[in-house]
Amino acid sequence: MAFCFQISPSFLKSHFPSNLFTPPRKPTNFLALCCGKAEENTGLGSGLEQNSENKLSKQSSWEAMDSEGKDYLYRLGAEADNMNIAVGARAGVIDDIFTGNFLGKDADIVFDYRQKVTRSFEYLQGDYYIAPFFMDKIVCHLVKNYIAHHLSVKVPLILGIWGGKGQGKTFQTELIFQAMGVEPVIMSAGELESEKAGEPGKLIRERYRTASQVVQNQGKMSCLMINDIDAGLGRFGNTQMTVNNQIVVGTLMNISDNPTRVSIGQVWRENDITNRIPIIVTGNDFTTIYAPLIRDGRMDKFYWQPTQEDIVNIVYRMYMKDGIKREEVVQVVGEFPNQALDFYGALRSRTYDRSILKWVNDNGGPENLGSHLLKQKKGVKLPDFTPPKQTLETLLESGYDLMKEQKLVMETKLSKEYMKNMDDHQV
């Protein structure tokens, strides 16, 4: 820190030798001594003029301060959601001398994978049946949220689809997304827990904002879908509630209440408005989830139990390519009542077992199976496989085998045999 004193020239002349003191060229009343150097005191404006000479320009953003006296560019960086990982070290973004060719042009080798978190459903090939009641519920929820600002009613952000296992909740939803041209961001229950506290909550906010960017940048409808949410957030028996469970529940509740203000850690900006993105979750038992999350103002609940007609139509579309008639499908469904929809898909898959074993034996047996299967990676085609001819008899035979396995699982409890000292209710 420099100290400055104002001293009269006559005082300096009388106390210092003449060879150490040179009087100023222009007459003045006082001299300024700063750090041992005498300077002329030309007035209060001299310091401001000196600072202005050091500025880059009169309107430079580098020296600009905000209303709080903080650096303006620093504040913009703190408010930005770009962590410099999506565009950092990419060819065309920074100088080519820093990218190199030894790892390719892009140093961020997982950039393309990270950016593609949406689902487009190209793999859904075929003529599948969509239950009209199911489609009406999904379409209504999506449309209500996209025009919520035009409605004078409270629109729940989350649609909770729940019901029995294997009833086609996720598959029916994906078929509707494909039919409507929706490109959703999909999460699973396994992403709702992490070894790091707060990571799943941040991931939900990031995926929500990604869906918003799909709407804004690509002009496509999007939504956030979380499959089997009760498996990740539900409490069963004596299961322990973790910090991440609480954070995820709190995050979803906050997004439901403020769907256009979603932060991923940056400082809030007034103009940082996120598009309202509908959320769809699936599960089996929502009574295991924290009650305030599933209340009516936040979540619109939909219990999906396909009717007999829905099951017949879905299974018929599944078997139609095999030449199975609708009357035969009705007979198969009637022979195995109270079964989930995935039972009939597994039934059709079981009929392929004999044909696959025959194909294995025709191509050298199990001993040479590995070389045949790995050749396809080198561009060598596998031997032709002839699908089995589906008949009502083979379908019924496969169905009986599946029911036999189900019965064995339910009735044969080996834990009772291995842990005889435990009570029945503990096993």
Side-chain angles (χ1 to χ4, degrees), residues 367-401:
E367 296 80 5
N368 301 319
L369 183 62
S371 60
H372 286 292
L373 295 178
L374 295 178
K375 282 182 180 180
Q376 60 181 334
K377 295 184 178 180
K378 300 179 181 179
V380 180
K381 293 183 63 177
L382 288 172
D384 293 335
F385 172 75
T386 303
K389 180 177 176 56
Q390 300 286 7
T391 62
L392 178 61
E393 290 73 17
T394 56
L395 292 174
L396 293 176
E397 181 181 356
S398 300
Y400 294 139
D401 290 341

Side-chain angles (χ1 to χ4, degrees), residues 224-235:
L224 175 63
M225 182 172 183
I226 306 177
N227 288 315
D228 305 310
I229 189 173
D230 56 334
L233 296 182
R235 303 194 67 178

Side-chain angles (χ1 to χ4, degrees), residues 127-345:
D127 185 18
Y128 295 100
Y129 176 82
I130 301 176
F133 184 53
F134 199 105
M135 186 168 188
D136 291 345
K137 198 66 177 179
I138 298 292
V139 172
C140 182
H141 179 72
L142 294 178
V143 173
K144 281 174 63 178
N145 275 276
Y146 273 99
I147 64 172
H149 57 286
H150 295 298
L151 305 177
S152 58
V153 295
K154 173 71 174 178
V155 179
L157 186 71
I158 305 176
L159 173 63
I161 306 173
W162 66 289
K165 56 182 176 61
Q167 298 292 1
K169 297 180 291 294
T170 299
F171 187 62
Q172 286 282 301
T173 305
E174 292 179 350
L175 290 176
I176 296 172
F177 288 159
Q178 184 190 44
M180 296 181 61
V182 178
E183 192 163 320
V185 178
I186 296 182
M187 297 181 62
S188 67
E191 297 176 281
L192 302 182
E193 187 55 80
S194 172
E195 59 184 9
K196 298 180 181 179
E199 196 71 22
K202 181 181 179 182
L203 181 61
I204 291 177
R205 296 192 297 271
E206 289 176 346
R207 298 285 174 85
Y208 186 88
R209 289 177 66 96
T210 299
S212 174
Q213 292 172 2
V214 171
V215 175
Q216 180 176 347
N217 300 334
Q218 301 182 25
K220 298 180 180 179
M221 294 180 64
S222 184
C223 69
L224 175 63
M225 182 172 183
I226 306 177
N227 288 315
D228 305 310
I229 189 173
D230 56 334
L233 296 182
R235 303 194 67 178
F236 305 92
N238 297 321
T239 55
Q240 183 179 5
M241 174 69 75
T242 66
V243 173
N244 279 325
N245 292 150
Q246 296 173 329
I247 292 177
V248 168
V249 170
T251 298
L252 291 174
M253 291 169 60
N254 180 259
I255 294 177
S256 299
D257 298 337
N258 304 279
T260 59
R261 302 286 288 173
V262 179
S263 169
I264 57 173
Q266 80 275 15
V267 180
W268 286 109
R269 293 198 309 266
E270 290 299 327
N271 60 348
D272 184 16
I273 304 299
T274 307
N275 293 296
R276 183 187 179 102
I277 300 298
I279 300 176
I280 298 177
V281 300
T282 64
N284 299 120
D285 188 356
F286 283 172
T287 61
T288 62
I289 301 177
Y290 187 57
L293 174 60
I294 65 173
R295 69 174 175 82
D296 294 332
R298 295 189 174 112
M299 180 185 292
D300 187 11
K301 293 165 285 294
F302 169 49
Y303 178 70
W304 169 239
Q305 178 62 47
T307 63
Q308 185 76 5
E309 182 181 359
D310 291 331
I311 295 176
V312 171
N313 289 330
I314 293 173
V315 176
Y316 174 63
R317 292 288 183 88
M318 190 189 309
Y319 291 169
M320 188 169 56
K321 64 184 70 175
D322 298 325
I324 301 297
K325 300 178 181 179
R326 184 181 179 85
E327 295 77 13
E328 295 175 329
V329 171
V330 173
Q331 186 174 348
V332 171
V333 173
E335 187 68 22
F336 306 107
N338 304 323
Q339 293 289 346
L341 281 170
D342 61 352
F343 172 85
Y344 304 101

